[in-house]
């Protein structure tokens, strides 16, 4: 079995690249799976797309059938209609245990921009669910993603990674929002979008004392649910500009595939704001605000996900010990997972070889018993044990070789050789 | 009283400033304590120096000479710095405030440290009226302390604004007040300091009128009196603009404060330095 991940994330690619490669809605993901089924029919595939990463996991029975890095890059280019050379250098690849370790680190949020953030678990779960709905999963990806969720729970329980500021909203508001505004209880907060990220942001802003909350979403029903939960009010989407004028803090988390607020539109909003400072947190990927909006006026403070990189790196530096603890756990779990995977791959051969040789041993012992019936029972037992020891000693070198080879990956060559040498068949 | 020179406390403040800069670039937990000790030691030496000077001249430091008056101003600023830094461990105030203190002390070197000829027996203002002189000098020194504070708050505002626009994180767990708070404090500094300066100016005019009864009347054509009046007018215009603007933009206020307050500080200090040795135009401040 072979496993690989081709990906770009906040370490390797700027948001401007990630947002172009992102699968921002479930419809887009369905379309991607349809295309992937055509391009790579024999592969198990899971696509993970968040604001910080776009990752494609692929697993296959035979290494010869595995899609190449280039083929996957070509898929991204064709699907998103982006020239390959504009992002190919930002795409990374991991295979085998490195791919497993990578997913475990992602799900445990060791690889997240905001260390310990909990949203990534539900994002991985959702990606796995969508892959299952699209019949793209198989035995290996099932084991891998279920394992990743289990490892994530273990890391969160056994380390302190989840303590402190562990959401993008908390970092953004803590580092930048509080440097703009002294207090939030007299501010109007506008939430555009009503997804999980919007909810997470509201949770934090509520803790900071926010009282006046406006939720604007294309689906009014979802907006009403969110507003009711957090004591806010809703406004229809066509009144967004009026809400932009009234707001002091704007958090945008829509799944739009292009900016919903451009420079001319926000310029009109600014004319009515009378120079009041506005803190805009654009958590969308693709972004909801055109980046140039932040340059229009001194009173506009616009932040996107990548604006938090420096702060998050500083926070990461403070928690090196916890990261090391988490990585030790992940290393242990990766080794265990790979052992299980290889055991599954080599298990049938080992079992058949053992059974075959011990069958021969049993047959020979029976034949010997018939010929040497005068032997005492104690002597027969001694002979049987001797032959069993010989068989085990003879089995030891090939099985050890198989076990050793399996540590480096599925030993397809050796398995084939053993099948042929010992006539094991399929 | 032990013998203390200006160099003693100037060196202490320079060390404190150096450590504040180091604290900005590298997080060392002991740094803040050392900074506070260095600045506090400087303030003790500063206080002793001012008391010695007062003893020598027989007048309160505010009235004894221009040199002493400027050192009192620096003393008030350093006192504010120590208090605020002790209360807020994350505030890197020294980076902004200590250079002003150091400049004030260096400037004090260049102004006259001779006794004020305008105050005292047989001077322009008689001993009986020295209370009014004291009030005048006190109002001006507090007003200018407010100006220094406003100036520093504006520099902090502009730094914070630039940092936020460029998405930069604050270094080593340090934190500046929010833009909203800096703007509010800046406004308060203007609103407090300009009336104090105005009252100081009015008392100055009153003193000038009083001096006309004495043997050495003060001329209202004195260049320092004229230039200070112009500076005061500029401040008054700024003050009225600030109160009249319904919703002033923070960055605009910060820049205006820097220009107005900077103009005031540079004018007052430069005039004192340039004319420090000329008894003819020496004033009380």
């Amino acid at each position: 079995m072979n496993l690989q991940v081709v990906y770009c994330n906040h370490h390797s690619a700027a948001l401007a690249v990630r947002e172009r490669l992102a699968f921002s809605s479930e419809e887009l993901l369905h379309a991607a799976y349809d295309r992937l089924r055509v391009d790579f029919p024999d592969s198990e595939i899971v696509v993970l797309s968040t604001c910080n990463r776009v990752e494609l996991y692929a697993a296959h029975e035979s290494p010869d059938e595995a899609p190449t890095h280039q083929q996957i890059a070509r898929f991204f280019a064709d699907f998103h209609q982006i020239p390959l050379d504009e992002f190919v250098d930002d795409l990374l690849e991991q295979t085998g245990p490195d791919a497993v370790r990578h997913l475990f680190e992602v799900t445990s949020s060791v690889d997240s921009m905001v260390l310990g953030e909990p949203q990534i678990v539900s994002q991985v779960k959702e990606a796995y669910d969508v892959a299952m709905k699209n019949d793209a999963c198989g035995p290996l990806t099932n084991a891998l993603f279920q394992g990743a969720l289990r490892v994530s729970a273990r890391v969160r329980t056994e380390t302190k990674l989840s303590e402190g500021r562990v959401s993008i909203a908390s970092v953004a508001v803590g580092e930048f929002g509080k440097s703009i505004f002294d207090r939030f209880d007299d501010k109007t907060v506008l939430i555009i979008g009503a997804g999980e990220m919007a909810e997470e942001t509201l949770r934090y802003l509520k803790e900071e004392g926010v009282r006046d909350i406006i939720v604007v979403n294309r689906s009014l029903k979802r907006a009403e649910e969110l507003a009711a939960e957090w004591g806010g009010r809703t406004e229809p989407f066509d009144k967004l500009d009026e809400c932009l004028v009234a707001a002091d803090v704007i958090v945008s988390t829509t799944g739009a595939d292009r900016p919903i607020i451009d420079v001319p539109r926000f310029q009109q909003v600014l004319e009515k704001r009378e120079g009041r400072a506005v803190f805009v947190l654009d958590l969308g990927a693709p972004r909801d605000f055109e980046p140039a909006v932040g340059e229009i006026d001194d009173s506009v403070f616009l932040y996107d996900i990548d604006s938090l990189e420096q702060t998050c790196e500083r926070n990461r530096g403070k928690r090196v010990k916890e990261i090391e603890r988490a990585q030790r756990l992940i290393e242990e779990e990766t080794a265990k997972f790979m052992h299980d995977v290889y055991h599954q791959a080599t298990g049938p051969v080992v079992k058949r070889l053992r059974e075959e040789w011990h069958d021969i041993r049993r047959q020979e012992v029976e034949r010997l018993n018939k010929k040497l019936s005068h032997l005492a029972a104690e002597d027969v037992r001694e002979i049987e044990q001797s032959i069993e020891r010989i068989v085990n000693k003879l089995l030891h070198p090939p099985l050890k070789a198989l076990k050793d080879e399996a540590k480096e990956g599925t030993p397809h060559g050796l398995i084939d050789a053993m099948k042929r040498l010992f006539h094991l068949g399929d | 009283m032990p013998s203390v020179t200006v160099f003693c406390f100037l060196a202490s403040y320079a060390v404190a400033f150096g450590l504040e800069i180091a604290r900005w670039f590298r997080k060392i937990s002991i740094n803040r304590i050392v900074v506070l000790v260095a600045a506090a030691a400087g303030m003790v030496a500063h206080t002793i120096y001012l008391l010695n000077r007062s003893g020598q001249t027989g007048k309160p430091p505010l009235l004894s000479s221009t040199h002493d008056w400027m050192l009192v101003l620096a003393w008030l600023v350093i006192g504010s710095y120590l208090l605020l830094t002790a209360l807020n461990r994350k505030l890197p105030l020294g980076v902004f405030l200590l250079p002003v203190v150091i400049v004030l002390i260096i400037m004090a070197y260049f102004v006259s440290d001779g006794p004020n000829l305008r105050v005292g027996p047989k001077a322009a203002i008689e001993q009986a009226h020295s209370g009014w002189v004291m009030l005048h000098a006190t109002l001006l020194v507090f007003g200018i302390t407010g100006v220094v504070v406003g100036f520093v708050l504006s520099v902090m505002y502009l730094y914070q604004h630039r940092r936020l626009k460029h998405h930069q994180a604050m270094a080593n767990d340090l934190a500046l007040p929010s833009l909203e708070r800096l703007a509010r404090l800046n406004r308060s500094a203007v609103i407090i300091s300009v009336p104090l300066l105005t009252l100081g100016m009015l008392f100055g005019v009153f003193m000038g009128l009083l001096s006309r009864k004495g043997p050495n009347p003060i001329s209202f054509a004195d260049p320092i009196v004229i230039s200070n009046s112009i500076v005061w007018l500029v401040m008054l215009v700024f003050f009225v603009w600030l109160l009249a603007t319904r919703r002033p933009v923070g960055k605009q206020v910060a820049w205006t404060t820097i220009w107005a307050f900077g103009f005031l500080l540079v004018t007052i200090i430069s005039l004192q330095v340039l004319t420090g040795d000329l008894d003819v135009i020496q004033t009380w401040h």
Side-chain angles (χ1 to χ4, degrees), chain B residues 146 149-151 153-155 157 181-192 238 242 250 253-255 257-258 261:
Chain B
V149 170
F151 180 83
L153 285 169
S154 296
V155 173
Y157 184 99
R181 178 173 290 191
L182 285 169
R184 199 171 54 240
L185 292 173
N186 191 10
R187 189 180 164 87
S188 304
V190 176
I191 288 173
I192 292 169
F238 174 43
L242 194 67
V253 174
W255 271 117
T257 309
I258 284 180
F261 284 16

PDB file of all heavy atoms in Angstrom, chain B residues 146 149-151 153-155 157 181-192 238 242 250 253-255 257-258 261:
ATOM      1  N   GLY B 146       2.881  68.699  30.694  1.00  0.00           N
ATOM      2  CA  GLY B 146       1.742  68.185  29.915  1.00  0.00           C
ATOM      3  C   GLY B 146       2.059  68.170  28.430  1.00  0.00           C
ATOM      4  O   GLY B 146       1.688  67.231  27.711  1.00  0.00           O
ATOM      5  N   VAL B 149       4.327  65.249  27.795  1.00  0.00           N
ATOM      6  CA  VAL B 149       3.533  64.010  27.841  1.00  0.00           C
ATOM      7  C   VAL B 149       2.711  63.868  26.558  1.00  0.00           C
ATOM      8  O   VAL B 149       2.672  62.805  25.937  1.00  0.00           O
ATOM      9  CB  VAL B 149       2.623  63.994  29.101  1.00  0.00           C
ATOM     10  CG1 VAL B 149       1.629  62.849  29.033  1.00  0.00           C
ATOM     11  CG2 VAL B 149       3.479  63.872  30.355  1.00  0.00           C
ATOM     12  N   GLY B 150       2.073  64.953  26.139  1.00  0.00           N
ATOM     13  CA  GLY B 150       1.281  64.920  24.904  1.00  0.00           C
ATOM     14  C   GLY B 150       2.142  64.594  23.700  1.00  0.00           C
ATOM     15  O   GLY B 150       1.743  63.806  22.835  1.00  0.00           O
ATOM     16  N   PHE B 151       3.327  65.181  23.680  1.00  0.00           N
ATOM     17  CA  PHE B 151       4.264  64.933  22.576  1.00  0.00           C
ATOM     18  C   PHE B 151       4.632  63.440  22.521  1.00  0.00           C
ATOM     19  O   PHE B 151       4.562  62.799  21.468  1.00  0.00           O
ATOM     20  CB  PHE B 151       5.520  65.789  22.801  1.00  0.00           C
ATOM     21  CG  PHE B 151       6.570  65.651  21.744  1.00  0.00           C
ATOM     22  CD1 PHE B 151       6.493  66.375  20.567  1.00  0.00           C
ATOM     23  CD2 PHE B 151       7.646  64.794  21.921  1.00  0.00           C
ATOM     24  CE1 PHE B 151       7.460  66.253  19.580  1.00  0.00           C
ATOM     25  CE2 PHE B 151       8.619  64.656  20.948  1.00  0.00           C
ATOM     26  CZ  PHE B 151       8.522  65.390  19.763  1.00  0.00           C
ATOM     27  N   LEU B 153       3.001  60.924  23.905  1.00  0.00           N
ATOM     28  CA  LEU B 153       1.806  60.116  23.588  1.00  0.00           C
ATOM     29  C   LEU B 153       1.550  60.105  22.082  1.00  0.00           C
ATOM     30  O   LEU B 153       1.174  59.070  21.515  1.00  0.00           O
ATOM     31  CB  LEU B 153       0.578  60.680  24.301  1.00  0.00           C
ATOM     32  CG  LEU B 153       0.475  60.425  25.796  1.00  0.00           C
ATOM     33  CD1 LEU B 153      -0.644  61.265  26.398  1.00  0.00           C
ATOM     34  CD2 LEU B 153       0.215  58.941  26.081  1.00  0.00           C
ATOM     35  N   SER B 154       1.787  61.236  21.448  1.00  0.00           N
ATOM     36  CA  SER B 154       1.563  61.315  19.998  1.00  0.00           C
ATOM     37  C   SER B 154       2.568  60.453  19.241  1.00  0.00           C
ATOM     38  O   SER B 154       2.218  59.790  18.267  1.00  0.00           O
ATOM     39  CB  SER B 154       1.669  62.760  19.529  1.00  0.00           C
ATOM     40  OG  SER B 154       0.650  63.499  20.117  1.00  0.00           O
ATOM     41  N   VAL B 155       3.823  60.478  19.708  1.00  0.00           N
ATOM     42  CA  VAL B 155       4.837  59.618  19.061  1.00  0.00           C
ATOM     43  C   VAL B 155       4.434  58.151  19.241  1.00  0.00           C
ATOM     44  O   VAL B 155       4.519  57.342  18.309  1.00  0.00           O
ATOM     45  CB  VAL B 155       6.248  59.888  19.660  1.00  0.00           C
ATOM     46  CG1 VAL B 155       7.259  58.897  19.116  1.00  0.00           C
ATOM     47  CG2 VAL B 155       6.689  61.308  19.347  1.00  0.00           C
ATOM     48  N   TYR B 157       1.436  57.018  19.650  1.00  0.00           N
ATOM     49  CA  TYR B 157       0.261  56.781  18.791  1.00  0.00           C
ATOM     50  C   TYR B 157       0.704  56.462  17.365  1.00  0.00           C
ATOM     51  O   TYR B 157       0.243  55.493  16.761  1.00  0.00           O
ATOM     52  CB  TYR B 157      -0.655  58.018  18.804  1.00  0.00           C
ATOM     53  CG  TYR B 157      -1.935  57.819  18.024  1.00  0.00           C
ATOM     54  CD1 TYR B 157      -3.116  57.492  18.668  1.00  0.00           C
ATOM     55  CD2 TYR B 157      -1.953  57.938  16.632  1.00  0.00           C
ATOM     56  CE1 TYR B 157      -4.289  57.288  17.952  1.00  0.00           C
ATOM     57  CE2 TYR B 157      -3.114  57.732  15.911  1.00  0.00           C
ATOM     58  CZ  TYR B 157      -4.285  57.410  16.581  1.00  0.00           C
ATOM     59  OH  TYR B 157      -5.429  57.193  15.858  1.00  0.00           O
ATOM     60  N   ARG B 181      -7.059  54.600  23.500  1.00  0.00           N
ATOM     61  CA  ARG B 181      -6.621  55.164  24.780  1.00  0.00           C
ATOM     62  C   ARG B 181      -5.576  56.261  24.565  1.00  0.00           C
ATOM     63  O   ARG B 181      -5.624  57.309  25.213  1.00  0.00           O
ATOM     64  CB  ARG B 181      -6.050  54.058  25.676  1.00  0.00           C
ATOM     65  CG  ARG B 181      -5.537  54.596  26.994  1.00  0.00           C
ATOM     66  CD  ARG B 181      -5.129  53.519  27.934  1.00  0.00           C
ATOM     67  NE  ARG B 181      -6.290  52.792  28.429  1.00  0.00           N
ATOM     68  CZ  ARG B 181      -6.247  51.933  29.439  1.00  0.00           C
ATOM     69  NH1 ARG B 181      -5.107  51.685  30.045  1.00  0.00           N
ATOM     70  NH2 ARG B 181      -7.327  51.301  29.835  1.00  0.00           N
ATOM     71  N   LEU B 182      -4.640  56.012  23.637  1.00  0.00           N
ATOM     72  CA  LEU B 182      -3.600  57.013  23.374  1.00  0.00           C
ATOM     73  C   LEU B 182      -4.229  58.316  22.885  1.00  0.00           C
ATOM     74  O   LEU B 182      -3.819  59.404  23.296  1.00  0.00           O
ATOM     75  CB  LEU B 182      -2.605  56.480  22.337  1.00  0.00           C
ATOM     76  CG  LEU B 182      -1.611  55.431  22.843  1.00  0.00           C
ATOM     77  CD1 LEU B 182      -0.870  54.798  21.675  1.00  0.00           C
ATOM     78  CD2 LEU B 182      -0.617  56.033  23.829  1.00  0.00           C
ATOM     79  N   ALA B 183      -5.253  58.186  22.025  1.00  0.00           N
ATOM     80  CA  ALA B 183      -5.918  59.390  21.502  1.00  0.00           C
ATOM     81  C   ALA B 183      -6.614  60.137  22.642  1.00  0.00           C
ATOM     82  O   ALA B 183      -6.560  61.367  22.726  1.00  0.00           O
ATOM     83  CB  ALA B 183      -6.919  58.991  20.424  1.00  0.00           C
ATOM     84  N   ARG B 184      -7.237  59.348  23.534  1.00  0.00           N
ATOM     85  CA  ARG B 184      -7.947  59.970  24.659  1.00  0.00           C
ATOM     86  C   ARG B 184      -6.974  60.681  25.601  1.00  0.00           C
ATOM     87  O   ARG B 184      -7.183  61.813  26.022  1.00  0.00           O
ATOM     88  CB  ARG B 184      -8.737  58.878  25.402  1.00  0.00           C
ATOM     89  CG  ARG B 184      -9.840  59.433  26.271  1.00  0.00           C
ATOM     90  CD  ARG B 184     -10.753  58.355  26.822  1.00  0.00           C
ATOM     91  NE  ARG B 184     -10.053  57.313  27.534  1.00  0.00           N
ATOM     92  CZ  ARG B 184     -10.068  56.035  27.198  1.00  0.00           C
ATOM     93  NH1 ARG B 184     -10.751  55.647  26.149  1.00  0.00           N
ATOM     94  NH2 ARG B 184      -9.416  55.131  27.910  1.00  0.00           N
ATOM     95  N   LEU B 185      -5.854  59.987  25.907  1.00  0.00           N
ATOM     96  CA  LEU B 185      -4.856  60.581  26.802  1.00  0.00           C
ATOM     97  C   LEU B 185      -4.224  61.818  26.170  1.00  0.00           C
ATOM     98  O   LEU B 185      -3.958  62.811  26.850  1.00  0.00           O
ATOM     99  CB  LEU B 185      -3.765  59.545  27.130  1.00  0.00           C
ATOM    100  CG  LEU B 185      -4.202  58.358  27.992  1.00  0.00           C
ATOM    101  CD1 LEU B 185      -3.080  57.328  28.089  1.00  0.00           C
ATOM    102  CD2 LEU B 185      -4.589  58.833  29.393  1.00  0.00           C
ATOM    103  N   ASN B 186      -4.010  61.718  24.863  1.00  0.00           N
ATOM    104  CA  ASN B 186      -3.412  62.843  24.145  1.00  0.00           C
ATOM    105  C   ASN B 186      -4.323  64.066  24.237  1.00  0.00           C
ATOM    106  O   ASN B 186      -3.873  65.184  24.514  1.00  0.00           O
ATOM    107  CB  ASN B 186      -3.204  62.415  22.681  1.00  0.00           C
ATOM    108  CG  ASN B 186      -2.352  63.387  21.920  1.00  0.00           C
ATOM    109  OD1 ASN B 186      -1.759  64.286  22.503  1.00  0.00           O
ATOM    110  ND2 ASN B 186      -2.291  63.224  20.620  1.00  0.00           N
ATOM    111  N   ARG B 187      -5.594  63.809  24.015  1.00  0.00           N
ATOM    112  CA  ARG B 187      -6.584  64.893  24.099  1.00  0.00           C
ATOM    113  C   ARG B 187      -6.581  65.501  25.506  1.00  0.00           C
ATOM    114  O   ARG B 187      -6.593  66.721  25.673  1.00  0.00           O
ATOM    115  CB  ARG B 187      -7.961  64.311  23.751  1.00  0.00           C
ATOM    116  CG  ARG B 187      -9.060  65.317  23.575  1.00  0.00           C
ATOM    117  CD  ARG B 187     -10.361  64.572  23.237  1.00  0.00           C
ATOM    118  NE  ARG B 187     -11.507  65.417  23.427  1.00  0.00           N
ATOM    119  CZ  ARG B 187     -11.995  66.231  22.506  1.00  0.00           C
ATOM    120  NH1 ARG B 187     -11.433  66.286  21.337  1.00  0.00           N
ATOM    121  NH2 ARG B 187     -13.051  66.986  22.762  1.00  0.00           N
ATOM    122  N   SER B 188      -6.507  64.609  26.515  1.00  0.00           N
ATOM    123  CA  SER B 188      -6.486  65.099  27.904  1.00  0.00           C
ATOM    124  C   SER B 188      -5.240  65.942  28.142  1.00  0.00           C
ATOM    125  O   SER B 188      -5.303  66.981  28.809  1.00  0.00           O
ATOM    126  CB  SER B 188      -6.490  63.927  28.886  1.00  0.00           C
ATOM    127  OG  SER B 188      -7.597  63.117  28.639  1.00  0.00           O
ATOM    128  N   ALA B 189      -4.094  65.485  27.597  1.00  0.00           N
ATOM    129  CA  ALA B 189      -2.838  66.226  27.795  1.00  0.00           C
ATOM    130  C   ALA B 189      -2.966  67.634  27.220  1.00  0.00           C
ATOM    131  O   ALA B 189      -2.533  68.610  27.842  1.00  0.00           O
ATOM    132  CB  ALA B 189      -1.682  65.478  27.134  1.00  0.00           C
ATOM    133  N   VAL B 190      -3.597  67.729  26.047  1.00  0.00           N
ATOM    134  CA  VAL B 190      -3.771  69.055  25.423  1.00  0.00           C
ATOM    135  C   VAL B 190      -4.725  69.893  26.263  1.00  0.00           C
ATOM    136  O   VAL B 190      -4.452  71.068  26.563  1.00  0.00           O
ATOM    137  CB  VAL B 190      -4.319  68.897  23.985  1.00  0.00           C
ATOM    138  CG1 VAL B 190      -4.597  70.263  23.368  1.00  0.00           C
ATOM    139  CG2 VAL B 190      -3.349  68.129  23.112  1.00  0.00           C
ATOM    140  N   ILE B 191      -5.827  69.263  26.660  1.00  0.00           N
ATOM    141  CA  ILE B 191      -6.862  70.007  27.382  1.00  0.00           C
ATOM    142  C   ILE B 191      -6.364  70.479  28.754  1.00  0.00           C
ATOM    143  O   ILE B 191      -6.770  71.528  29.246  1.00  0.00           O
ATOM    144  CB  ILE B 191      -8.148  69.143  27.484  1.00  0.00           C
ATOM    145  CG1 ILE B 191      -8.784  69.078  26.092  1.00  0.00           C
ATOM    146  CG2 ILE B 191      -9.131  69.685  28.508  1.00  0.00           C
ATOM    147  CD1 ILE B 191      -9.947  68.145  25.973  1.00  0.00           C
ATOM    148  N   ILE B 192      -5.452  69.728  29.351  1.00  0.00           N
ATOM    149  CA  ILE B 192      -4.917  70.144  30.656  1.00  0.00           C
ATOM    150  C   ILE B 192      -3.776  71.153  30.471  1.00  0.00           C
ATOM    151  O   ILE B 192      -3.709  72.169  31.165  1.00  0.00           O
ATOM    152  CB  ILE B 192      -4.441  68.904  31.456  1.00  0.00           C
ATOM    153  CG1 ILE B 192      -5.658  68.061  31.856  1.00  0.00           C
ATOM    154  CG2 ILE B 192      -3.639  69.317  32.681  1.00  0.00           C
ATOM    155  CD1 ILE B 192      -5.312  66.698  32.409  1.00  0.00           C
ATOM    156  N   PHE B 238      -4.596  75.437  18.386  1.00  0.00           N
ATOM    157  CA  PHE B 238      -4.668  73.970  18.370  1.00  0.00           C
ATOM    158  C   PHE B 238      -5.749  73.483  19.342  1.00  0.00           C
ATOM    159  O   PHE B 238      -6.567  72.609  19.034  1.00  0.00           O
ATOM    160  CB  PHE B 238      -3.291  73.419  18.726  1.00  0.00           C
ATOM    161  CG  PHE B 238      -3.238  71.932  18.881  1.00  0.00           C
ATOM    162  CD1 PHE B 238      -3.884  71.084  17.983  1.00  0.00           C
ATOM    163  CD2 PHE B 238      -2.516  71.350  19.923  1.00  0.00           C
ATOM    164  CE1 PHE B 238      -3.826  69.711  18.129  1.00  0.00           C
ATOM    165  CE2 PHE B 238      -2.462  69.983  20.068  1.00  0.00           C
ATOM    166  CZ  PHE B 238      -3.127  69.170  19.175  1.00  0.00           C
ATOM    167  N   LEU B 242      -9.085  71.461  18.447  1.00  0.00           N
ATOM    168  CA  LEU B 242      -9.352  70.133  19.011  1.00  0.00           C
ATOM    169  C   LEU B 242     -10.744  70.067  19.636  1.00  0.00           C
ATOM    170  O   LEU B 242     -11.467  69.079  19.480  1.00  0.00           O
ATOM    171  CB  LEU B 242      -8.279  69.806  20.056  1.00  0.00           C
ATOM    172  CG  LEU B 242      -8.202  68.361  20.501  1.00  0.00           C
ATOM    173  CD1 LEU B 242      -7.746  67.458  19.373  1.00  0.00           C
ATOM    174  CD2 LEU B 242      -7.263  68.208  21.690  1.00  0.00           C
ATOM    175  N   GLY B 250      -7.654  60.362  14.900  1.00  0.00           N
ATOM    176  CA  GLY B 250      -6.549  60.144  15.827  1.00  0.00           C
ATOM    177  C   GLY B 250      -5.190  60.482  15.258  1.00  0.00           C
ATOM    178  O   GLY B 250      -4.392  61.179  15.896  1.00  0.00           O
ATOM    179  N   VAL B 253      -4.691  64.185  14.847  1.00  0.00           N
ATOM    180  CA  VAL B 253      -4.467  64.832  16.143  1.00  0.00           C
ATOM    181  C   VAL B 253      -3.030  64.589  16.595  1.00  0.00           C
ATOM    182  O   VAL B 253      -2.350  65.498  17.075  1.00  0.00           O
ATOM    183  CB  VAL B 253      -5.464  64.294  17.204  1.00  0.00           C
ATOM    184  CG1 VAL B 253      -5.152  64.855  18.576  1.00  0.00           C
ATOM    185  CG2 VAL B 253      -6.888  64.619  16.809  1.00  0.00           C
ATOM    186  N   ALA B 254      -2.567  63.338  16.408  1.00  0.00           N
ATOM    187  CA  ALA B 254      -1.205  62.999  16.840  1.00  0.00           C
ATOM    188  C   ALA B 254      -0.179  63.845  16.092  1.00  0.00           C
ATOM    189  O   ALA B 254       0.741  64.409  16.708  1.00  0.00           O
ATOM    190  CB  ALA B 254      -0.948  61.514  16.602  1.00  0.00           C
ATOM    191  N   TRP B 255      -0.350  63.939  14.786  1.00  0.00           N
ATOM    192  CA  TRP B 255       0.601  64.744  14.010  1.00  0.00           C
ATOM    193  C   TRP B 255       0.528  66.214  14.400  1.00  0.00           C
ATOM    194  O   TRP B 255       1.552  66.875  14.572  1.00  0.00           O
ATOM    195  CB  TRP B 255       0.343  64.596  12.498  1.00  0.00           C
ATOM    196  CG  TRP B 255       1.093  63.452  11.906  1.00  0.00           C
ATOM    197  CD1 TRP B 255       0.563  62.341  11.313  1.00  0.00           C
ATOM    198  CD2 TRP B 255       2.521  63.285  11.849  1.00  0.00           C
ATOM    199  NE1 TRP B 255       1.562  61.495  10.899  1.00  0.00           N
ATOM    200  CE2 TRP B 255       2.780  62.050  11.211  1.00  0.00           C
ATOM    201  CE3 TRP B 255       3.599  64.049  12.291  1.00  0.00           C
ATOM    202  CZ2 TRP B 255       4.064  61.566  10.999  1.00  0.00           C
ATOM    203  CZ3 TRP B 255       4.891  63.567  12.077  1.00  0.00           C
ATOM    204  CH2 TRP B 255       5.110  62.348  11.442  1.00  0.00           C
ATOM    205  N   THR B 257      -0.412  67.429  17.247  1.00  0.00           N
ATOM    206  CA  THR B 257       0.181  67.571  18.577  1.00  0.00           C
ATOM    207  C   THR B 257       1.700  67.612  18.465  1.00  0.00           C
ATOM    208  O   THR B 257       2.359  68.433  19.114  1.00  0.00           O
ATOM    209  CB  THR B 257      -0.236  66.376  19.473  1.00  0.00           C
ATOM    210  OG1 THR B 257      -1.638  66.239  19.416  1.00  0.00           O
ATOM    211  CG2 THR B 257       0.202  66.571  20.901  1.00  0.00           C
ATOM    212  N   ILE B 258       2.232  66.706  17.659  1.00  0.00           N
ATOM    213  CA  ILE B 258       3.688  66.661  17.531  1.00  0.00           C
ATOM    214  C   ILE B 258       4.213  67.987  16.970  1.00  0.00           C
ATOM    215  O   ILE B 258       5.175  68.549  17.496  1.00  0.00           O
ATOM    216  CB  ILE B 258       4.111  65.470  16.643  1.00  0.00           C
ATOM    217  CG1 ILE B 258       3.972  64.189  17.459  1.00  0.00           C
ATOM    218  CG2 ILE B 258       5.539  65.635  16.128  1.00  0.00           C
ATOM    219  CD1 ILE B 258       4.347  62.938  16.732  1.00  0.00           C
ATOM    220  N   PHE B 261       3.304  70.849  19.781  1.00  0.00           N
ATOM    221  CA  PHE B 261       4.077  70.682  21.014  1.00  0.00           C
ATOM    222  C   PHE B 261       5.574  70.697  20.713  1.00  0.00           C
ATOM    223  O   PHE B 261       6.373  71.218  21.493  1.00  0.00           O
ATOM    224  CB  PHE B 261       3.675  69.382  21.723  1.00  0.00           C
ATOM    225  CG  PHE B 261       2.352  69.464  22.440  1.00  0.00           C
ATOM    226  CD1 PHE B 261       1.453  70.482  22.170  1.00  0.00           C
ATOM    227  CD2 PHE B 261       2.004  68.525  23.405  1.00  0.00           C
ATOM    228  CE1 PHE B 261       0.233  70.561  22.824  1.00  0.00           C
ATOM    229  CE2 PHE B 261       0.791  68.597  24.074  1.00  0.00           C
ATOM    230  CZ  PHE B 261      -0.100  69.613  23.781  1.00  0.00           C
TER     231      PHE B 261
END
